[in-house]
Amino acid sequence: MRRQLGQQLDQVGTGELAARIDELSRQNAELTAERDALTRGKAEWEEKLAEAEEDRDAARASLRRMMRRENTNPDVPEAG
């Protein structure tokens, strides 16, 4: 009787453990998918940031050229 009761308790525990393992596996898959999506999103934002920095640097260089031109030839009207 004790053996049978022990086996029954072990089986109940095994079933609960299997359910918990399934739940943890599901959560792991969800978190992995979320991490992958966030990694892709981060890469996209980094690319956009690099483009914005390039645009900013180009605008600064253009402004410097314009200011130099204005400072060296103040009497020459600008085109445009």
Side-chain angles (χ1 to χ4, degrees):
M1 183 92 133
R2 278 187 182 167
R3 286 185 197 156
Q4 186 178 8
L5 181 58
Q7 287 175 349
Q8 288 175 354
L9 289 174
D10 287 344
Q11 288 173 353
V12 168
T14 302
E16 289 174 8
L17 287 175
R20 182 69 176 141
I21 289 170
D22 289 343
E23 174 64 18
L24 291 172
S25 295
R26 185 191 60 74
Q27 287 178 353
N28 185 47
E30 288 175 4
L31 290 172
T32 299
E34 183 179 349
R35 181 207 59 207
D36 292 345
L38 290 171
T39 299
R40 285 189 302 273
K42 178 181 176 273
E44 291 172 6
W45 281 110
E46 286 173 341
E47 185 177 324
K48 288 178 182 181
L49 176 60
E51 290 174 8
E53 288 173 341
E54 288 176 11
D55 290 347
R56 177 205 61 205
D57 294 343
R60 282 182 178 171
S62 177
L63 179 60
R64 284 188 193 110
R65 285 191 301 272
M66 184 181 73
M67 290 172 68
R68 275 192 221 112
R69 222 178 15 249
E70 182 65 28
N71 287 335
T72 57
N73 299 319
D75 297 332
V76 177
E78 258 196 58

